């Protein structure tokens, strides 16, 4: 196919067998999967406006959910535990981007998860083991975590104690979240 376009394949890592899951018609700029790894959302752009596409299941066709202009953004940053709703970073109708629950049935921001009056917020951490949102990050002079659960905060504080003077970011974890790959960076390393 056209090497300029990215399609989505599900690959069996033991056999190498590929299954086409979603074919890019030419305007898809990004794909988004739910917690089960199902491709449920996609984004398109005409260079100025962005459209969020959605489908209830991989058997359904994508349908436009909402379109934003270059001044606004509604970006998926995660899914609720049941994968029926999304978490989004949105600045629709506001000055700063904040985190919200988002119902694809209404295409509207719902419950406010977190906002900061001084900076945009655009990331959301998720615990697969505990099925809960864990944290976000705000950037002032440097990245600062904001925690939504005590377990993640405890882990972060333990890592900070072992790695003083560094910004800490968990890159990957085992499924039970007992072993982690952690990045530790500062302005000199």
């Amino acid at each position: 196919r056209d090497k300029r376009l990215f399609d989505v394949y599900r690959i069996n890592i033991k056999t190498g067998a590929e299954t086409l899951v979603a074919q890019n018609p030419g305007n898809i700029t990004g794909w988004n999967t739910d917690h089960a790894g199902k491709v449920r959302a996609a984004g398109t752009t005409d260079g100025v406006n962005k459209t969020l596409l959605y489908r209830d299941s991989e058997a359904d066709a994508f349908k436009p959910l909402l379109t934003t202009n270059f001044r606004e953004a509604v970006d998926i940053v995660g899914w609720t535990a049941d994968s029926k709703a999304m978490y989004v970073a949105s600045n629709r109708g506001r000055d700063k981007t904040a985190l919200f629950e988002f119902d694809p049935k209404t295409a509207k921001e719902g419950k406010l998860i977190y906002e900061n009056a001084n900076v945009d917020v655009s990331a959301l951490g998720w615990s697969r083991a505990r099925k809960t949102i864990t944290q976000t990050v705000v950037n002032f002079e440097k990245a600062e975590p904001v925690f939504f659960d005590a377990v993640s905060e405890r882990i972060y504080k333990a890592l900070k104690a072992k790695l003083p003077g560094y910004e800490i970011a968990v890159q990957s974890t085992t499924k039970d979240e007992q072993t982690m790959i952690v990045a530790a960076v500062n302005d000199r390393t």
Side-chain angles (χ1 to χ4, degrees), residues 35-79:
H35 291 299
K38 304 296 184 190
V39 179
R40 301 269 307 284
T44 68
T45 185
D46 62 10
V48 176
N49 301 305
K50 287 173 42 177
T51 299
L52 177 61
L53 306 175
Y54 173 79
R55 62 186 181 183
D56 284 326
S57 75
E58 286 184 342
D60 299 325
F62 281 109
K63 294 180 182 162
L65 193 57
L66 66 94
T67 299
T68 55
N69 60 37
F70 66 93
R71 290 182 197 95
E72 296 179 319
V74 178
D75 298 315
I76 300 170
V77 293
W79 294 78

Side-chain angles (χ1 to χ4, degrees), residues 34-35 40 54-56 65 78-87 101-106:
D34 64 14
H35 291 299
R40 301 269 307 284
Y54 173 79
R55 62 186 181 183
D56 284 326
L65 193 57
W79 294 78
T80 56
D82 61 7
S83 291
K84 291 184 179 176
M86 306 163 200
Y87 294 110
E101 282 187 11
F102 185 85
D103 183 352
K105 304 279 188 252
T106 64

